[in-house]
Amino acid sequence: MATADPAAIIDIGSNSVRLVVYAGPPRIPSPIFNEKVLAGLGSSADRSGNLPERPRARALAAIHRFKLLIDHMRVKQVRVVATAAIRDAANGADFVRDVKRLGLECEVLSAEEEARLAGEGVLSGMPRAIGTVGDLGGGSLELVDIGDGETHGGISMPLGVLRLDASSDGERKARKILRAALKETDIGERAKGRRFYMVGGSWRTLARIDMFACDFPLPITHQYRMKPGRVRDLRKMLKSPDQRLASAAAPQRMATSPVAAMLLDLIVDELEPSDLVVSAYGIREGLLYSALKPAIRNEDPLLEEARSAGGGEHRFGQHGDLLDQWIAPLFDDGREMSRLRHAACLLADVAWQATANFRADRGIEMALHGNWVAVDAPGRVIMAQALSSSFGREVLPDERLGHLVSADQLRRAHCWGAAMRLGQRLSGGVGAVLKRTSLSKANGAIRLHVRRGEEALVGDAVERRLTKLAESMGRGAAVVSG
């Protein structure tokens, strides 16, 4: 399996300085190290517009540490990028030279490039995304249009959470800046009635607050959705916050949440989006994605992630693709359900090393909380149901999960799991057996086809699982040799 050499990105933002080291499949490498320092470079500037000295020193100390770590990790691909705080500072060039003295080349992104990379980052995790991306940082807000796998246009405004306050005057100032910027572009018109994708830690904090308030069953902000009208509720909530909300995010993030909510409310007013979708991916992932060849960009990130995760724990060579092909004749799934079924099959062997009583837990945990990006919460639940059923447990552990999907989707996922369970028992986890057998539907029965002379593959345990699968699909069961 092709894997990318480890790559590191140091992102110097207005609020934080962060190092992320990635490794794994080129299409969707996973973070293997992630650390941030809240330096606050964009928190204030002196009268000459220079970076404040203390935040500057904190940022350089963090970068020095990151450089040492990268060297010890022997990471050869390193990219250092800076955004609004350095771009706008009078002594930004001096800061870049200080970074160079530490042994790193620092690239200051233009406003347009920052917007484009935020859009590329969203497309990396959600390839079919269509709408408007908003990347909110400490010093700026970028907007860019995305669709058909590409970004279009892109603007940047000085509307960061460290530059504003949530007062009436602050809101009027922000609205004026936003409206003026939108007059210079068609982004506002294109955005109406489409999704708005929220990038940045400040907006992810709002999502976590909403998840807490709604008792959402999955603690994953990526692809979390909110209706536009919900933002007003969040603003009211933040004016007299419940003390329990403190567990939703770090104090620094909670402190800037009123400004983040105010800006999102203005976005909703001006762009009139259909709904709001959180993206955990932004400019760092956009940097990686934009460097890929078109053929790799076109790969499905969910399937590549699942193939990588499942492939490391298989018994006899990865055969998740074969398992999906083997059960597919029984199901008339559409595009989205087919890819969820395929992903579940790729993870079908993920728990074989666990004790028998824990295998279903392991499969459910992997589906619900795995580091997937190209799947939303309902998709995770569907995958979890398939894996749970494949390990012999029909009911998910938290009934709230079932509220995120339809009963028909859960039944379909259960049937996938029953078919996967049959394939695993028949083949013993060996792909060659799947190649020599097949499943079909005919005359009201689920038919298992085996080659003449290999009928003994269908032992009692296989017959029981075939019968169970057939019952779950409302059919009879038959074994056919020939």
Side-chain angles (χ1 to χ4, degrees), residues 219-231:
I220 296 166
T221 56
H222 184 68
Q223 292 213 40
Y224 182 74
R225 297 181 184 179
M226 295 188 293
K227 287 299 181 184
R230 182 61 177 161
V231 182

Side-chain angles (χ1 to χ4, degrees), residues 384-445:
Q385 180 63 72
L387 287 168
S388 179
S389 297
S390 77
F391 292 117
R393 184 184 298 169
E394 297 185 5
V395 180
L396 291 174
D398 186 340
E399 65 178 14
R400 295 177 302 163
L401 296 169
H403 300 157
L404 301 181
V405 296
S406 70
D408 286 343
Q409 287 173 320
L410 279 183
R411 280 193 294 270
R412 175 57 61 94
H414 168 66
C415 291
W416 295 345
M420 292 158 59
R421 185 169 172 79
L422 169 63
Q424 293 289 68
R425 174 56 62 186
L426 173 71
S427 68
V430 180
V433 177
L434 298 180
K435 292 180 180 179
R436 298 173 67 83
T437 60
S438 63
L439 289 175
S440 67
K441 292 186 297 185
N443 302 321

Side-chain angles (χ1 to χ4, degrees), residues 75-145:
V75 177
K76 296 179 180 178
Q77 301 180 54
V78 181
R79 192 162 179 185
V80 183
V81 295
T83 53
I86 308 304
R87 185 170 64 233
D88 297 342
N91 62 342
D94 293 336
F95 184 88
V96 170
R97 282 190 288 271
D98 288 338
V99 173
K100 187 171 184 177
R101 279 192 281 270
L102 294 174
L104 295 165
E105 294 292 336
C106 178
E107 174 186 357
V108 181
L109 299 176
S110 69
E112 294 76 14
E113 185 73 356
E114 188 175 353
R116 182 186 69 79
L117 288 171
E120 295 269 9
V122 172
L123 290 171
S124 174
M126 293 177 266
R128 296 195 294 276
I130 298 174
T132 307
V133 173
D135 183 2
L136 177 63
S140 63
L141 168 64
E142 284 71 45
L143 297 178
V144 64
D145 185 79

Side-chain angles (χ1 to χ4, degrees), residues 41 50 121 145 216 229 278 300 400 436 446:
L41 283 169
N50 287 325
D145 185 79
F216 193 71
V278 178
D300 187 319
R400 295 177 302 163
R436 298 173 67 83
I446 302 299

Side-chain angles (χ1 to χ4, degrees), residues 140-359:
S140 63
L141 168 64
E142 284 71 45
L143 297 178
V144 64
D145 185 79
I146 57 172
D148 299 322
E150 297 180 351
T151 64
H152 308 277
I155 58 174
S156 180
M157 297 159 282
L159 294 176
V161 295
L162 298 181
R163 293 196 182 197
L164 300 166
D165 59 57
S167 66
S168 297
D169 287 343
E171 184 168 348
R172 281 192 292 271
K173 176 184 176 182
R175 188 183 295 275
K176 182 178 179 181
I177 292 172
L178 177 59
R179 285 180 171 175
L182 290 175
K183 284 182 180 180
E184 303 297 322
T185 177
D186 65 350
I187 286 178
E189 290 303 314
R190 292 170 64 91
K192 295 187 186 303
R194 301 201 300 174
R195 285 179 174 165
F196 182 77
Y197 296 89
M198 303 156 55
V199 175
S202 295
W203 277 342
R204 286 196 299 274
T205 297
L206 293 185
R208 281 192 285 271
I209 292 170
D210 190 55
M211 292 163 73
F212 177 87
C214 297
D215 193 28
F216 193 71
L218 286 177
I220 296 166
T221 56
H222 184 68
Q223 292 213 40
Y224 182 74
R225 297 181 184 179
M226 295 188 293
K227 287 299 181 184
R230 182 61 177 161
V231 182
R232 292 283 170 88
D233 297 333
L234 289 174
R235 292 192 71 181
K236 292 176 183 176
M237 204 180 301
L238 288 167
K239 286 181 180 178
S240 54
D242 186 326
Q243 290 301 313
R244 293 174 297 172
L245 292 180
S247 64
Q252 297 94 329
R253 289 294 188 196
M254 290 298 296
T256 59
S257 291
V259 176
M262 178 264 287
L263 289 170
L264 188 57
D265 198 15
L266 294 181
I267 288 289
V268 168
D269 279 351
E270 299 299 326
L271 302 190
E272 300 176 13
S274 60
D275 56 350
L276 310 173
V277 182
V278 178
S279 173
Y281 273 24
I283 65 169
R284 291 183 295 275
E285 292 74 22
L287 285 165
L288 298 174
Y289 183 65
S290 61
L292 295 177
K293 294 179 180 179
I296 298 178
R297 286 172 66 124
N298 289 334
E299 294 174 350
D300 187 319
L302 172 62
L303 299 184
E304 291 306 305
E305 284 177 309
R307 187 171 288 115
S308 176
E313 301 191 39
H314 56 66
R315 289 171 286 180
F316 300 110
Q318 190 172 14
H319 75 298
D321 294 297
L322 283 174
L323 183 60
D324 180 61
Q325 294 165 19
W326 193 76
I327 72 173
L330 302 184
F331 305 104
D332 55 349
D333 296 315
R335 178 178 179 179
E336 183 58 26
M337 289 294 279
S338 291
R339 68 191 287 269
L340 294 175
R341 186 192 70 222
H342 192 174
C345 285
L346 290 168
L347 295 170
D349 221 19
V350 74
W352 75 271
Q353 290 179 313
T355 60
N357 291 337
F358 185 69
R359 286 171 188 162

